[in-house]
Amino acid sequence: NNNNNNPANVLVIAVDCLSRAHFHRKLRHTAALLAAHRFTEEPREEDDVAPARHQPSTPEEHVSFEFFRHHALEPRRNGFLPVLFDNVETQSGNLLAHYQQHGYLTTLIDTDCNPQSALQNLSRPDDPASSAAGTPGLDVHVRQPFCHLKHAPQQQKLAASGPHGLGAHCIGHRHVHQHAFDYGRTVWDAYAPEQLHFTMLHLTEGDEPSMDAVRQIDEDLARLLQDVMVHRPNTIVVLTSDRGSHSFYRNTRAGTLEYFLPSLLLLLPRHSGLPLSVLERNQQRLVTPRDVHHTLWMLAGRHSPQEAAAAAA
């Protein structure tokens, strides 16, 4: 059903409370990997010939972009996610349902067991109050494993453990994010290579007061991105956050600025067909979750929400 001439898998990695500055402070391996693939318009010999759609690529054929002025708008997860998935101003419809209509398998791996999470509301077709009401719902929703008694019960912000704890975020002898990454790989490997995937990984390591736990995901996240480039090269990765830290650091001037400037980075195949020069210019322009919504919407069908609404009418 996909009318995109060169459809790609989409992987959204959403890390709570991770400003752009804090991304560079704590995720140094990931930042170095993405910096090594920063887009440049310098001509290369292989750029003259576009590869076949399913031709394997190498990490050198991927490019990254970092958006320095990504503004959080309403800097709360419950404000960020409805804009990202529904763009309530345009009422363009549920993003997950849009991807399903274009032949994608939709997967949400949510490491937050909080039943009040906005992600739960965005993905429940059985709830009339949900933005997903009347849609097919997610194809794969992995949440219950992260309601493990040794991870989920501690919700207070100064707890030693739990999804917002000061210490290591673990289930058993492994970090929580490692379980999440493994679930993602399992879903991808369970389907034929030609199956298109829209996958979201939601990680809570940034939402704790010490501002240090997010460092736990760094090496594994860099390894995941490297694996995607090598083994699933036809994949566009969106690394984003809802806001900066809302710990004591927000009481400082620098912390207040960071709070409204969450991280936003893209990693995509050089020959994805997207206007790379436009993305490069937009790195220094003001962008918001509304722009991310429009971009994700177009990646499925290469037409804007307004165009889709006009076509439906």
Side-chain angles (χ1 to χ4, degrees), residues 78-201:
N78 288 351
F80 165 77
L81 289 170
V83 173
L84 179 64
F85 280 99
D86 289 304
N87 202 347
V88 291
E89 290 187 352
T90 63
Q91 297 181 344
S92 55
N94 186 274
L95 188 68
L96 300 173
H98 176 66
Y99 270 86
Q100 288 177 325
Q101 291 167 2
H102 287 82
Y104 282 76
L105 184 94
T106 57
T107 300
L108 168 62
I109 300 172
D110 187 2
T111 63
D112 188 356
C113 191
N114 181 3
Q116 303 302 318
S117 167
L119 275 175
Q120 308 308 317
N121 181 56
L122 289 167
S123 57
R124 291 185 57 192
D126 57 333
D127 184 354
S130 169
S131 63
T135 71
L138 287 160
D139 295 304
V140 180
H141 189 182
V142 180
R143 175 174 170 262
Q144 285 302 116
F146 303 105
C147 296
H148 193 283
L149 290 177
K150 293 190 176 181
H151 173 64
Q154 301 290 341
Q155 295 293 338
Q156 57 268 36
K157 296 293 182 180
L158 294 179
S161 60
H164 307 293
L166 295 170
H169 293 201
C170 296
I171 296 177
H173 299 289
R174 304 184 70 215
H175 289 296
V176 169
H177 72 268
Q178 292 174 327
H179 292 286
F181 292 172
D182 283 351
Y183 280 121
R185 291 186 177 101
T186 299
V187 172
W188 300 335
D189 292 341
Y191 291 84
E194 59 270 18
Q195 172 62 57
L196 292 167
H197 290 267
F198 177 92
T199 302
M200 179 172 179
L201 299 174

Side-chain angles (χ1 to χ4, degrees), residues 271-288:
H271 301 289
S272 64
L274 295 178
L276 302 184
S277 60
V278 174
L279 290 172
E280 182 183 37
R281 289 196 300 272
N282 287 346
Q283 289 181 121
Q284 296 294 343
R285 294 178 175 172
L286 179 66
V287 297
T288 72

Side-chain angles (χ1 to χ4, degrees), residues 168-243:
H169 293 201
C170 296
I171 296 177
H173 299 289
R174 304 184 70 215
H175 289 296
V176 169
H177 72 268
Q178 292 174 327
H179 292 286
F181 292 172
D182 283 351
Y183 280 121
R185 291 186 177 101
T186 299
V187 172
W188 300 335
D189 292 341
Y191 291 84
E194 59 270 18
Q195 172 62 57
L196 292 167
H197 290 267
F198 177 92
T199 302
M200 179 172 179
L201 299 174
H202 174 219
L203 308 175
T204 63
E205 278 79 359
D207 191 3
E208 54 83 31
S210 77
M211 298 178 63
D212 192 57
V214 72
R215 178 173 49 86
Q216 300 166 18
I217 75 174
D218 184 24
E219 292 188 23
D220 291 315
L221 179 56
R223 192 174 299 114
L224 175 67
L225 296 180
Q226 188 76 22
D227 289 347
V228 167
M229 286 190 286
V230 173
H231 300 294
R232 292 190 173 272
N234 189 34
T235 300
I236 296 172
V237 181
V238 181
L239 177 59
T240 189
S241 183
D242 55 344
R243 55 186 170 178

